Amino acid sequence: MGDTGLRKRREDEKSIQSQEPKTTTLQKELGLISGICIIVGTIIGSGIFISPKSVLSNTEAVGPCLIIWVVCGVLAMLGALCFAELGTMITKSGGEYPYLMEAYGPIPAYLFSWVSLMVMKPSSFAIICLSFSEYVCAPFYVGCKPPVIVVKCLAAAAILFITTVNSLSVRLGSYVQNIFTAAKLVIVAIIIISGLVLLAQGNTKNFDNSFEGAQLSVGAISLAFYNGLWAYDGWNQLNYITEELRNPYRNLPLAIIIGIPLVTVCYILINVSYFTVMTATELLQSQAVAVTFGDRVLYPASWVVPLFVAFSTIGAANGSCFTAGRLIYVAGREGHMLKVLSYISVKRLTPAPAIIFHGIIATIYIIPGDINSLVNYFSFAAWLFYGLTILGLIVMRFTRKELERPIKVPIVIPVLVTIISVFLILAPIISKPAWEYLYCVLFILSGLIFYFLFVHYKFGWAQKISKPITMHLQMLMEVVPPEEDPE
């Protein structure tokens, strides 16, 4: 009886493994509109409702504050154009990961995946969900701060919901993204139109002498850029899902060219609307800039603002989860993470193990107290890898001349972005040295230990542990390896 059961189980495994290649590869489900929605939906999250205060506090004047927002948009656009060349030259999902692999080899690529998968992506996902939770709880606890346990439980529920949606279907995940992107554009439109109406009525006094008292130090400018660029973070997210984008040579650059200028215009107009209603001092004193704006302009309907800000943050969290799952999938496929993380659901055709892993790590980050400071110090690591990736584009112009480049940006653009990246990495450290930056570098380098132990030198005992775990997870989740790697 036991032999019969074992034989049947082996036959079942063989039948799963023998599926046609089309059933176990990521499907090209995403068109131009979905691509634009992923860019806009991922960038416009909680940043535009938080960063204006931080940018203004570093510039201390309205004029330089607005200039910083414009320059940040231009920089995001230039960086995205560099990534468009990379994305159409190397049409693999995973964002920076495959580009670093092609340019420098496995070690920088592994360190990027190590830092991204264990800290930057899940902690960012957790913080966005915590922001969503706080906005949702606020109307129920008027005049006092919501209980921490309530906020964290609701954030965990949001992570569970988003992880489930993205594990079930690529199309469902993109539909959710499209819906929440539309919802967040509603609140953006409400703020912009209200501000422009007030501006047309002559409320321009807060723009008088807009450069008076401005801070011009290198440290202050760099920190203002840091906060502004944090609101634009996500400009590279479409490159994480290149394999699932229909006609990427056309749709990838088009989505970037349409999506990022749309975000930039929205950000500038939102800031103009804020300054139409509030003075610089009042904005700095506000606990929640968008809520203060709603209270002053929308009167009885001011509850609309926290509601739609919650929609905005949940949309950003969905976009973050959607793209981070693909990075984990590619790292697993390259052998830099557990192999099961590169498997695809037979029924759903999604990288379900990678998405679920990302959700679990993000949930763990909710448990401790405030992790915002940790993410702030690791944000300089993000620009370290952005700079390395775009430098890799310059390197591959000489070392990989044979690669086809459907999009080729002028060499001055990656050179300029690389120089700015170096400035953004070094300026905050020089202007305000802190031990946390050293801890961050040490954490990045600690990834080398795991690389040499588990990737470079594949010890037998590690394989003996991982193989049965992989087999049981494969049977439990009904997932199989991709039949063929994309070219």
Side-chain angles (χ1 to χ4, degrees), residues 29-51:
E29 297 277 5
L30 307 175
L32 177 61
I33 299 300
S34 290
I36 294 170
C37 285
I38 286 172
I39 289 177
V40 175
T42 305
I43 295 178
I44 301 179
S46 57
I48 189 56
F49 306 112
I50 298 171
S51 288

Side-chain angles (χ1 to χ4, degrees), residues 28 87-88 91 242-243 245-253 407:
K28 292 185 179 294
T88 52
T91 55
T242 305
E243 291 171 29
L245 197 64
R246 290 195 297 268
N247 193 5
Y249 295 161
R250 172 185 174 273
N251 288 337
L252 180 62
I407 298 170

Side-chain angles (χ1 to χ4, degrees), residues 74-256:
V74 172
L75 179 57
M77 183 66 169
L78 294 178
L81 288 173
C82 294
F83 271 62
E85 177 176 333
L86 289 164
T88 52
M89 179 174 67
I90 303 167
T91 55
K92 292 182 179 179
S93 292
E96 293 91 328
Y97 185 89
Y99 314 145
L100 291 167
M101 177 73 79
E102 291 286 343
Y104 307 112
I107 292 179
Y110 179 83
L111 290 179
F112 168 75
S113 64
W114 164 253
V115 175
S116 293
L117 303 189
M118 300 309 295
V119 177
M120 291 194 295
K121 294 291 183 183
S123 61
S124 176
F125 186 24
I127 285 177
I128 294 171
C129 288
L130 284 168
S131 301
F132 158 79
S133 181
E134 287 176 359
Y135 272 104
V136 170
C137 291
F140 299 97
Y141 295 92
V142 179
C144 63
K145 194 173 181 181
V148 174
I149 187 67
V150 174
V151 171
K152 290 187 177 181
C153 286
L154 186 55
I159 289 175
L160 178 61
F161 169 74
I162 293 167
T163 302
T164 303
V165 165
N166 284 278
S167 298
L168 288 176
S169 168
V170 171
R171 188 168 294 176
L172 181 59
S174 67
Y175 283 161
V176 169
Q177 188 65 41
N178 295 353
I179 291 167
F180 281 117
T181 298
K184 76 178 62 183
L185 289 179
V186 169
I187 188 60
V188 167
I190 289 171
I191 293 174
I192 289 172
I193 293 169
S194 301
L196 291 178
V197 168
L198 291 170
L199 199 63
Q201 291 174 350
N203 292 282
T204 59
K205 61 181 182 299
N206 293 338
F207 296 96
D208 296 338
N209 303 317
S210 55
F211 286 85
E212 188 177 336
Q215 280 276 9
L216 299 176
S217 69
V218 173
I221 292 171
S222 65
L223 290 172
F225 268 110
Y226 240 51
N227 287 284
L229 287 167
W230 180 74
Y232 281 98
D233 197 40
W235 51 264
N236 62 327
Q237 293 297 291
L238 205 57
N239 287 64
Y240 283 80
I241 53 170
T242 305
E243 291 171 29
E244 293 161 270
L245 197 64
R246 290 195 297 268
N247 193 5
Y249 295 161
R250 172 185 174 273
N251 288 337
L252 180 62
L254 265 182
I256 289 168

